[in-house]
Amino acid sequence: DKARRVFTGIEISLVEIVPPRPVAADHRRLVAGIGELDGEIAELLASLRASDPTAFGRLASLPGLQTIQKVTRDMEDRGYDVIRNG
């Protein structure tokens, strides 16, 4: 699946980054969250393919996505630009 290839690519790219020491633990949590979300998306896609009408509504509550959002906020609160805008 294309979505899983995208997540794998992101995870590989993040693993190659050596983060600044103050956010090293957060960086590890971010990589773990991406890996977790990869598996969760696979399950979500299977539900969508099975025509589960509730599947898309579960996206925002996926634990991996919540981890990514929290870690990103934590890192940005410390002054690190996690998601570059340009």
Side-chain angles (χ1 to χ4, degrees):
D1 290 315
K2 184 177 180 179
R4 299 207 60 206
R5 285 191 305 271
V6 169
F7 283 109
T8 299
I10 292 169
E11 190 173 9
I12 289 168
S13 295
L14 286 173
V15 167
E16 293 174 351
I17 293 172
V18 177
R21 183 171 293 201
V23 291
D26 289 330
H27 183 266
R28 288 188 297 275
R29 289 177 36 225
L30 184 61
V31 171
I34 294 285
E36 184 178 8
L37 184 59
D38 181 24
E40 294 166 352
I41 290 293
E43 292 175 19
L44 186 69
L45 289 172
S47 294
L48 288 169
R49 286 188 188 108
S51 299
D52 179 350
T54 66
F56 192 73
R58 294 193 307 263
L59 179 62
S61 65
L62 295 176
L65 183 58
Q66 291 178 354
T67 296
I68 293 165
Q69 290 172 332
K70 179 173 183 346
V71 171
T72 299
R73 278 191 309 270
D74 291 348
M75 292 171 81
E76 288 176 343
D77 287 349
R78 290 192 193 110
Y80 290 90
D81 185 13
V82 178
I83 301 174
R84 297 192 187 273
N85 297 316

